[in-house]
Amino acid sequence: MSDSAQTLEAFRHFREKMNAGILEAGNLNINRFFALDTRTYETGALPVKTKELLGLVASMVLRCDDCVTYHLVRCREEGVNDAELYDAFAVALVVGGSIVIPHLRRAVARLEELPAP
Amino acid sequence: MSDSAQTLEAFRHFREKMNAGILEAGNLNINRFFALDTRTYETGALPVKTKELLGLVASMVLRCDDCVTYHLVRCREEGVNDAELYDAFAVALVVGGSIVIPHLRRAVARLEELPAP
Amino acid sequence: MSDSAQTLEAFRHFREKMNAGILEAGNLNINRFFALDTRTYETGALPVKTKELLGLVASMVLRCDDCVTYHLVRCREEGVNDAELYDAFAVALVVGGSIVIPHLRRAVARLEELPAP
Amino acid sequence: MSDSAQTLEAFRHFREKMNAGILEAGNLNINRFFALDTRTYETGALPVKTKELLGLVASMVLRCDDCVTYHLVRCREEGVNDAELYDAFAVALVVGGSIVIPHLRRAVARLEELPAP
Amino acid sequence: MSDSAQTLEAFRHFREKMNAGILEAGNLNINRFFALDTRTYETGALPVKTKELLGLVASMVLRCDDCVTYHLVRCREEGVNDAELYDAFAVALVVGGSIVIPHLRRAVARLEELPAP
Amino acid sequence: MSDSAQTLEAFRHFREKMNAGILEAGNLNINRFFALDTRTYETGALPVKTKELLGLVASMVLRCDDCVTYHLVRCREEGVNDAELYDAFAVALVVGGSIVIPHLRRAVARLEELPAP
């Protein structure tokens, strides 16, 4: 990653710490949203791998680096290979335009921190 | 569809007429973009069906009704069934939030105009 | 409203019909989202009136006309008066910029269909 | 324009009527915003023609059809020709991606209602 | 805050320094916008506390961390307590979807730097 | 720039390294997009200087700091002076609203790293 960005390890640490703090605050609607967010990517009519690719592309066109990082990690865990990822990146790039490019650069840098499937 | 919205037939007619007019205007960069837009959804490392689902979810979270209509038509042509579509809708809804709901309503209304796979 | 837009009655009819169809489709995650969406605006630490104003301004800056209509109806039911609404509109306008103006025009047109509190 | 869209005449009528209503409501901050919005496109270090092109492209990438219509009218009044408009459209398309296309189609349809410079 | 983010102190210093530089540049329209931005949150038909909550939720759904920080500081100054803030966060989360979550995490981290009311 | 942001040198280094990596990955559609992105800003019916201003304002309203940096560099190379830049900033600010302000602050900080024309 570039110098000003978090390592994957720092991202994970911050994410887990803050998620725990948010859930402990006890706002029922927020906690329900977090539970729903998890369930939405579980196996259904579409396989988990496809759902994670959907989450990845949605995150890229909405330009959320942390969301992209999360779904890249999950995509790799589900066995998505480089060629498949770049196909998904291409859809995000064409749908979302050149403003997606900085996020694509950071996504590709993030991939270097993740083991290939 | 609701009274104020176009039928699928009217959407198709307007889309084809205007696309033809845009391409005839002869701006090279615009014409290249249109060609690239088509190629991006062709078979690659990911199958066409998956790419169309990616296009659908990207269109929903970016809240583009015409884009959603286009990808719904293509998803049906690729054999995506109702349960798979609703799984994709759920990802779009959770990623994009309640502002996606009006577009989901119009997507489901549009489905009534499309033959089931 | 302008000629091309739905009346409030048509909006309500379409919204209720499609929401019913979506819920009947039986996708658990979508149904949970709809339930959560309703609960979020119920009385909590913040009163319902404030929550509806929050929903209104969030809908305006995200430029979702149907969402604006929904929250305008609810704001009126909660007794929000014109001066309060215009204060909320001003926040949305300054935060979101001139692209909010077309939605502001449609919101003010919609208000003419709603009884003053 | 497509069947479901307003004519330029209807757009102008609705815009003027609602703007008048909004200004009469007397919210000072909203009225100041409207005044500022007008002044921003007056001659400055950049000529009016360039400013209107900036407003047009900003409106396209933010996907605001009414804003696009307004700036198209103003661009034509400032003598922007077809080739210049398409160059601006190309920038909007590449920056904003394929979700800009439906707005491009409506912009080109709108142009047919406007006298060439 | 996470390692890659600014402390509140650094945010304030940079914000004040750059705002001063921008105002000194002397572009009248920009300076008017800054003045209007300040006035919009002053007491009107809605109390300042409600306006700051509106600004906070608008900033969260538009995913502007610096804007969220600013309105969190102002909300605390206006006496908004934790339960009220989390109610506002819940509205932002449900309206804006899971892409709001990274901003929610940073907002909650920011709160640790702010004295409770 | 603020402490947490990249210097222009670091931005350039990261951008060039990652762009090279992306192009080497060999996804044809992504590579075509990158080529099209470059061509779009070349001389056409509109001069390069105007196109770069269009790219700058589109980047600001879409709130992409890296894109803003890129177009600021190019604007300076094309001889855009401070008064012209601030006129463009004003359009972006009025169209996009106060959420543009943090990006305006970073743009003005970036300018300090760039030689005046």
Side-chain angles (χ1 to χ4, degrees):
Chain A
M1 294 296 292
S2 71
D3 291 350
S4 69
Q6 287 183 305
T7 62
L8 182 58
E9 191 48 39
F11 164 76
R12 278 175 167 148
H13 175 73
F14 181 70
R15 181 176 178 277
E16 280 165 32
K17 188 180 90 175
M18 298 317 302
N19 281 7
I22 291 166
L23 295 177
E24 279 163 29
N27 182 292
L28 259 183
N29 293 320
I30 292 179
N31 291 9
R32 280 173 184 137
F33 191 97
F34 273 66
L36 178 56
D37 187 24
T38 301
R39 278 190 220 108
T40 303
Y41 296 94
E42 292 171 358
T43 309
L46 292 174
V48 173
K49 179 179 159 178
T50 302
K51 287 187 169 187
E52 287 298 335
L53 284 166
L54 294 176
L56 176 67
V57 168
S59 300
M60 288 198 92
V61 297
L62 290 172
R63 301 162 52 208
C64 175
D65 284 333
D66 285 3
C67 313
V68 167
T69 288
Y70 176 79
H71 289 293
L72 277 179
V73 170
R74 291 287 300 116
C75 280
R76 282 308 207 194
E77 290 171 354
E78 297 298 321
V80 180
N81 65 32
D82 276 8
E84 292 168 321
L85 279 179
Y86 274 83
D87 261 17
F89 292 162
V91 172
L93 188 56
V94 166
V95 174
S98 66
I99 47 161
V100 170
I101 292 178
H103 306 274
L104 174 58
R105 283 196 282 263
R106 290 190 280 271
V108 169
R110 188 63 85 196
L111 275 182
E112 295 168 9
E113 292 179 274
L114 290 168
Chain B
M1 293 296 294
S2 71
D3 292 350
S4 70
Q6 288 182 304
T7 62
L8 182 58
E9 191 47 38
F11 163 75
R12 278 176 167 147
H13 175 73
F14 181 71
R15 181 176 178 276
E16 278 164 34
K17 188 180 91 173
M18 298 317 302
N19 280 8
I22 291 166
L23 294 176
E24 279 162 28
N27 182 292
L28 259 182
N29 293 319
I30 291 179
N31 292 10
R32 280 173 184 136
F33 191 97
F34 273 65
L36 178 56
D37 187 24
T38 300
R39 278 190 219 107
T40 303
Y41 296 94
E42 292 171 359
T43 310
L46 292 175
V48 173
K49 180 179 159 179
T50 302
K51 286 187 169 188
E52 287 297 337
L53 284 166
L54 295 176
L56 175 67
V57 168
S59 299
M60 288 197 93
V61 297
L62 290 172
R63 302 162 51 210
C64 175
D65 284 333
D66 285 3
C67 313
V68 167
T69 288
Y70 176 80
H71 288 294
L72 277 179
V73 170
R74 291 287 300 114
C75 279
R76 282 308 207 195
E77 290 171 353
E78 296 299 322
V80 180
N81 65 32
D82 276 7
E84 291 168 322
L85 278 179
Y86 274 82
D87 261 17
F89 292 162
V91 171
L93 187 55
V94 166
V95 174
S98 65
I99 47 161
V100 170
I101 292 178
H103 306 274
L104 174 58
R105 283 196 283 263
R106 290 190 280 271
V108 169
R110 188 62 86 196
L111 275 182
E112 294 168 9
E113 293 180 274
L114 290 168
Chain C
M1 294 295 293
S2 70
D3 291 350
S4 69
Q6 288 181 305
T7 61
L8 182 58
E9 191 48 38
F11 163 76
R12 277 174 167 148
H13 175 74
F14 180 70
R15 181 177 177 275
E16 279 164 34
K17 188 180 91 174
M18 298 317 303
N19 280 7
I22 291 166
L23 294 177
E24 280 163 28
N27 182 292
L28 259 182
N29 293 320
I30 291 178
N31 291 10
R32 281 173 183 136
F33 190 97
F34 273 66
L36 178 56
D37 187 25
T38 301
R39 279 191 218 106
T40 302
Y41 296 93
E42 293 171 358
T43 309
L46 292 174
V48 172
K49 178 179 160 180
T50 302
K51 287 187 169 188
E52 287 298 336
L53 284 166
L54 295 176
L56 176 66
V57 168
S59 300
M60 288 197 92
V61 297
L62 290 173
R63 303 162 51 210
C64 176
D65 284 331
D66 284 3
C67 312
V68 167
T69 288
Y70 176 80
H71 289 294
L72 278 178
V73 170
R74 291 287 301 115
C75 280
R76 283 307 207 194
E77 289 171 354
E78 296 299 321
V80 180
N81 65 30
D82 276 8
E84 292 167 321
L85 279 178
Y86 274 81
D87 261 17
F89 293 161
V91 171
L93 188 55
V94 166
V95 174
S98 65
I99 47 162
V100 170
I101 292 178
H103 306 275
L104 175 58
R105 283 196 282 262
R106 289 190 281 270
V108 169
R110 189 62 87 196
L111 275 182
E112 295 169 10
E113 293 180 274
L114 290 168
Chain D
M1 293 297 291
S2 69
D3 291 350
S4 70
Q6 288 182 304
T7 62
L8 182 58
E9 192 47 40
F11 164 75
R12 278 175 167 147
H13 175 73
F14 180 70
R15 181 176 178 277
E16 279 164 33
K17 189 180 90 173
M18 298 318 303
N19 280 8
I22 290 166
L23 294 176
E24 280 163 29
N27 182 291
L28 259 183
N29 293 320
I30 291 178
N31 291 10
R32 280 174 184 135
F33 191 97
F34 273 65
L36 178 56
D37 187 25
T38 301
R39 279 191 219 107
T40 303
Y41 296 93
E42 292 171 357
T43 309
L46 292 175
V48 172
K49 178 179 160 180
T50 302
K51 287 187 170 189
E52 287 297 336
L53 284 166
L54 295 176
L56 176 66
V57 168
S59 299
M60 288 197 91
V61 298
L62 291 172
R63 302 161 51 209
C64 175
D65 284 333
D66 285 3
C67 313
V68 167
T69 287
Y70 176 80
H71 289 293
L72 278 179
V73 170
R74 290 288 299 115
C75 280
R76 282 307 207 195
E77 290 171 354
E78 296 299 322
V80 180
N81 65 32
D82 277 7
E84 292 168 322
L85 279 179
Y86 274 83
D87 260 18
F89 293 162
V91 171
L93 187 56
V94 165
V95 174
S98 66
I99 47 162
V100 169
I101 292 178
H103 306 273
L104 175 58
R105 282 196 284 262
R106 289 189 283 269
V108 169
R110 188 64 85 196
L111 275 182
E112 294 169 9
E113 294 179 275
L114 290 168
Chain E
M1 294 295 292
S2 70
D3 291 350
S4 70
Q6 287 182 305
T7 62
L8 182 58
E9 191 48 39
F11 164 75
R12 278 174 167 148
H13 175 74
F14 180 71
R15 181 177 178 277
E16 278 163 36
K17 189 180 89 173
M18 299 317 303
N19 280 8
I22 291 166
L23 294 176
E24 279 163 28
N27 183 291
L28 259 182
N29 293 319
I30 292 178
N31 292 9
R32 281 173 184 137
F33 190 96
F34 273 66
L36 178 56
D37 187 25
T38 301
R39 279 191 218 107
T40 302
Y41 297 94
E42 292 171 358
T43 309
L46 292 175
V48 173
K49 179 179 160 180
T50 302
K51 287 187 170 189
E52 287 298 336
L53 284 166
L54 295 176
L56 176 67
V57 168
S59 300
M60 288 196 93
V61 297
L62 291 172
R63 302 162 51 209
C64 175
D65 285 332
D66 284 3
C67 314
V68 167
T69 288
Y70 176 80
H71 289 293
L72 278 179
V73 170
R74 291 287 300 115
C75 280
R76 283 308 207 194
E77 290 171 354
E78 296 299 322
V80 180
N81 65 31
D82 277 7
E84 292 168 321
L85 279 179
Y86 274 82
D87 261 16
F89 292 161
V91 171
L93 188 56
V94 166
V95 174
S98 66
I99 47 162
V100 170
I101 292 178
H103 306 274
L104 174 58
R105 283 196 283 263
R106 289 190 282 270
V108 169
R110 188 64 85 196
L111 276 182
E112 295 169 10
E113 293 180 275
L114 290 167
Chain F
M1 294 296 293
S2 69
D3 291 349
S4 69
Q6 288 182 305
T7 61
L8 182 58
E9 191 48 39
F11 163 76
R12 278 174 167 148
H13 175 74
F14 180 70
R15 180 176 178 277
E16 279 164 34
K17 188 180 90 174
M18 298 318 302
N19 280 8
I22 290 166
L23 295 176
E24 280 163 27
N27 183 291
L28 259 182
N29 293 320
I30 291 178
N31 291 11
R32 281 174 183 134
F33 190 97
F34 273 66
L36 178 56
D37 187 25
T38 300
R39 278 190 219 107
T40 302
Y41 297 94
E42 292 172 358
T43 309
L46 293 175
V48 172
K49 179 180 160 180
T50 302
K51 287 187 169 189
E52 287 298 336
L53 284 166
L54 295 176
L56 176 66
V57 168
S59 300
M60 288 197 93
V61 297
L62 290 172
R63 303 162 50 212
C64 176
D65 284 333
D66 284 3
C67 313
V68 168
T69 288
Y70 176 79
H71 288 293
L72 278 179
V73 170
R74 291 288 300 115
C75 280
R76 282 307 207 193
E77 290 171 354
E78 296 299 321
V80 180
N81 65 31
D82 276 8
E84 292 168 321
L85 279 178
Y86 274 82
D87 261 16
F89 293 161
V91 172
L93 188 55
V94 166
V95 174
S98 66
I99 47 162
V100 170
I101 293 178
H103 305 275
L104 175 58
R105 284 196 282 262
R106 289 190 281 271
V108 169
R110 189 62 87 195
L111 275 182
E112 295 169 9
E113 293 179 275
L114 291 168

